Amino acid sequence: RDRLLINGFQEWLVMRRVLADLDPTMLGPLEGVRRSDAFAQDVLTFVALMKQNLVHPSALVLAAEASGSERLRVLASVYQAYQLRLQQARMLDFRDLISGAIELLQSNGPLRERLRARFRLVLVDEFQDVDPAQFELLQLVAPSETRPRLLAVGDPDQSIYGFRGTVP
């Protein structure tokens, strides 16, 4: 299936379009910042954090409706609209590559086993900056059940991506 991988600037353009097309009443108290470049970037940062933690947009919408604040409900709806826009345009961002690989390997046992058999060891440098989604993917590729096959090199004192959701 042909898909277009988009970069950060293109993600920002898509988010600007999503925000421009939203029903103004949906944004509630955030309507006043809808056209702000900083707001578009902040929402993209929120979306990235959700994707890095494998939080699906529909799950976040349900959770926000059940117990979230109005602001969280708005952010969840924007996240869902953004992801829908990407899907309709057959686009992926970098984080979608990771979550897509996770979904594929979780749902296709034979493929997962062929991939696992292909590598004796998997080396990850700068392991302290791996986010939860990347770690999930590593566990699928190099499981620890049979024999350790994951070699991680890192220093938690050098973690620089905590603001992006990494957990040393």
Side-chain angles (χ1 to χ4, degrees):
R1 303 182 313 191
D2 294 334
R3 298 257 175 150
L4 174 65
L5 179 63
I6 61 174
N7 64 32
F9 179 70
Q10 293 163 323
E11 291 173 21
W12 181 80
L13 289 174
V14 171
M15 181 57 76
R16 295 283 295 167
R17 188 85 231 139
V18 165
L19 291 171
D21 291 347
L22 282 177
D23 177 0
T25 61
M26 190 182 116
L27 288 172
L30 298 175
E31 168 57 27
V33 295
R34 167 208 296 256
R35 300 201 190 296
S36 161
D37 291 345
F39 180 62
Q41 191 57 53
D42 287 348
V43 176
L44 277 174
T45 300
F46 174 81
V47 166
L49 188 59
M50 292 300 99
K51 288 183 178 189
Q52 286 171 199
N53 285 285
L54 298 173
V55 177
H56 193 274
S58 60
L60 184 62
V61 167
L62 288 174
E65 290 298 324
S67 62
S69 67
E70 183 177 0
R71 185 165 286 171
L72 182 58
R73 283 191 293 277
V74 169
L75 291 172
S77 296
V78 172
Y79 174 25
Q80 189 171 46
Y82 171 77
Q83 202 60 31
L84 182 61
R85 178 68 57 99
L86 288 181
Q87 290 170 352
Q88 289 171 340
R90 304 188 55 74
M91 294 186 286
L92 298 167
D93 62 23
F94 175 73
R95 288 159 213 86
D96 291 330
L97 290 178
I98 294 170
S99 61
I102 290 169
E103 289 173 18
L104 179 63
L105 293 174
Q106 286 176 337
S107 67
N108 189 329
L111 174 64
R112 183 176 58 246
E113 293 310 315
R114 280 197 317 269
L115 185 63
R116 286 176 175 173
R118 189 167 182 174
F119 303 104
R120 277 190 24 194
L121 291 171
V122 176
L123 169 66
V124 180
D125 194 12
E126 302 296 338
F127 188 74
Q128 74 274 4
D129 293 322
V130 168
D131 65 44
Q134 293 167 339
F135 186 64
E136 177 70 23
L137 182 58
L138 287 169
Q139 289 178 303
L140 287 166
V141 173
S144 60
E145 319 69 76
T146 54
R147 61 183 168 91
R149 299 191 304 169
L150 177 62
L151 179 59
V153 179
D155 179 355
D157 292 333
Q158 293 183 14
S159 180
I160 60 172
Y161 292 111
F163 68 92
R164 281 195 343 207
T166 63
V167 183

